[in-house]
Amino acid sequence: MQDNRILLNDSEKNRYNRQMIMFDWGEEGQIKLKKATVFIAGAGGLGSSVAIYLASAGVGCIRICDSGKVELSNLNRQILYTDDDIGKKKVLSAAQTLSKINPNIKIVHLFEKIEKGNISKLAGNAQIIIDCLDNFQTRYIVNEYAVNAGRPFIHTGVYGMAGQITFIFSPETPCLECVFPDAPPPEILPVVGTTAGIMGCLEAQETLKYLTGRGTLLKNRLIVLDGDNLTFEELHLEKSPSCKICSSKFN
Amino acid sequence: MQSSEANIKVQIKYLVTIRDRTGRRQEEVSFPLGSVLRDVAEWLNKRYALSLPNREIMAILNGRGWNQFPLKLSTEIKEGDTICLLPPISGG
Ligand SMILES: [Zn+2]
């Protein structure tokens, strides 16, 4: 089997030891991560947190996409970047930092704006798509692609001290438009760095669970973080039989 | 709403910043049998001035967006329905 051809060297066994000694993870789980490819849509506050943890955990190939350059006003939350990176392409700077964090993995940096016409090419052979975007218009493009391509899509958003997350895997779960059919007006939203950090960590953890096949994924549930009161509210989600994106898949 | 035998009860949840406008996390509200989402919206607007339908408030009925129901605001509500209102948590 192909599984046996990808092995871990001694340095990797040492690097990942603390997670490999977990029950049900081991060398087998680590090799699953090494073989995996993920697509991180957006290299901002959420993307920083997701990318750092997935790189550290040993995900073999990270495709990270963003059309932005680093600005001073990013630095309260986009922890992949420093003052020295201002003006640089986010994905290029991200790739350099992530390669330093873990030189054993491959980083594919994609300096492009996500559109209907290029999403398939950008996502490539990624097994999972991770929403680190900052607007619903682009999320709808990624959601539709994920539904049609049959790929899992972790949706997350942040707002000030609040965050939300759900694991979308149509037709098993509702898609993003079943629950949020109307995009809110685009505007500059407040984001506290720690909120993006917390929500990005949850996305990264769901990704690790999916790739290693452990635990219960956040399917059909929306978790809403209220950081000001530090509560997590859970909403049960339902597929919409009239959803224009996904209903043909399960009706 | 006045109580009568022909009333139904629904749960309304106010998440994160919506709670600041309602002063509560959740409440059970009675509506006359046959009421629709528009009646709920009007009740909320009168009580909390939320201006529903409002693009800045995401409204979910039993796990689906209000506008995903073919009848939209004319969708009839039923005993035990759960309605959630939350701000657009759309940043990244
Ligand atoms: Zn849908």
Side-chain angles (χ1 to χ4, degrees):
Chain A
M1 299 296 288
Q2 202 160 13
D3 266 26
N4 299 331
R5 286 194 209 124
I6 293 182
L7 295 170
L8 302 173
N9 61 34
D10 286 345
S11 153
E12 287 173 304
K13 284 180 190 167
N14 193 8
R15 175 184 287 265
Y16 306 123
N17 171 269
R18 291 302 189 280
Q19 61 203 42
M20 285 171 63
I21 59 176
M22 264 200 353
F23 177 70
D24 261 9
W25 191 299
E27 209 161 319
E28 193 187 332
Q30 199 57 48
I31 287 170
K32 284 180 187 164
L33 292 187
K34 189 171 178 175
K35 286 172 60 186
T37 298
V38 302
F39 178 61
I40 302 178
L46 288 169
S48 290
S49 168
V50 168
I52 288 171
Y53 279 103
L54 293 184
S56 304
V59 169
C61 178
I62 293 176
R63 299 175 67 83
I64 186 162
C65 180
D66 199 299
S67 62
K69 293 184 177 170
V70 180
E71 296 172 29
L72 182 59
S73 64
N74 299 153
L75 299 183
N76 79 315
R77 64 196 184 283
Q78 303 188 9
I79 58 170
L80 265 173
Y81 317 114
T82 67
D83 263 60
D84 295 340
D85 297 316
I86 291 171
K88 293 183 190 162
K89 291 176 182 173
K90 284 185 186 175
V91 287
L92 206 57
S93 174
Q96 287 163 353
T97 303
L98 295 169
S99 298
K100 273 189 210 157
I101 289 173
N102 190 345
N104 301 292
I105 61 169
K106 186 177 168 195
I107 310 291
V108 179
H109 58 273
L110 304 153
F111 182 66
E112 285 193 60
K113 187 174 174 346
I114 294 174
E115 279 158 2
K116 241 180 162 156
N118 66 8
I119 176 65
S120 168
K121 182 195 80 182
L122 294 172
N125 61 344
Q127 286 145 266
I128 183 164
I129 297 163
I130 308 160
D131 170 5
C132 299
L133 296 161
D134 62 0
N135 69 88
F136 265 79
Q137 281 75 16
T138 313
R139 284 189 178 101
Y140 290 151
I141 293 171
V142 180
N143 174 63
E144 183 171 8
Y145 168 76
V147 168
N148 290 328
R151 312 259 181 101
F153 171 50
I154 305 180
H155 158 63
T156 305
V158 290
Y159 173 72
M161 294 282 277
Q164 66 181 26
I165 177 168
T166 185
F167 194 106
I168 295 168
F169 203 175
S170 178
E172 199 187 327
T173 74
C175 81
L176 187 65
E177 292 208 27
C178 290
V179 186
F180 299 106
D182 309 296
E187 56 179 323
I188 292 177
L189 293 174
V191 181
V192 179
T194 48
T195 313
I198 293 164
M199 299 311 295
C201 281
L202 290 178
E203 290 191 279
Q205 192 163 75
E206 286 297 293
T207 303
L208 295 177
K209 283 163 61 183
Y210 175 74
L211 295 174
T212 58
R214 66 181 300 123
T216 305
L217 296 163
L218 190 57
K219 290 177 184 168
N220 302 306
R221 296 184 286 150
L222 179 78
I223 299 280
V224 180
L225 161 71
D226 174 347
D228 274 321
N229 296 295
L230 194 43
T231 60
F232 286 92
E233 187 99 30
E234 180 170 327
L235 273 62
H236 176 75
L237 302 181
E238 290 281 346
K239 289 181 266 195
S240 169
S242 57
C243 177
K244 65 182 196 296
I245 302 301
C246 75
S247 59
S248 64
K249 308 275 173 190
F250 66 85
N251 266 353
Chain B
M1 291 279 146
Q2 70 284 17
S3 68
S4 92
E5 277 176 41
N7 272 6
I8 52 156
K9 290 194 195 79
V10 298
Q11 299 292 328
I12 311 184
K13 292 183 174 186
Y14 310 107
L15 301 192
V16 292
T17 52
I18 307 300
R19 187 179 308 166
D20 303 336
R21 299 170 68 170
T22 62
R24 61 193 70 208
R25 230 179 135 126
Q26 168 164 1
E27 63 190 312
E28 188 176 78
V29 185
S30 293
F31 290 94
L33 191 67
S35 295
V36 296
L37 284 176
R38 184 173 295 103
D39 301 315
V40 178
E42 279 168 11
W43 184 85
L44 288 162
N45 291 345
K46 214 162 155 185
R47 196 168 162 97
Y48 303 117
L50 296 181
S51 312
L52 295 168
N54 177 343
R55 282 180 73 200
E56 294 186 14
I57 297 180
M58 313 306 250
I60 297 173
L61 167 64
N62 299 334
R64 287 194 249 154
W66 279 13
N67 274 344
Q68 273 298 2
F69 292 86
L71 296 177
K72 304 193 189 291
L73 286 180
S74 303
T75 303
E76 193 172 325
I77 53 167
K78 302 178 307 296
E79 175 77 23
D81 278 354
T82 300
I83 289 161
C84 290
L85 302 179
L86 62 161
I89 305 181
S90 60

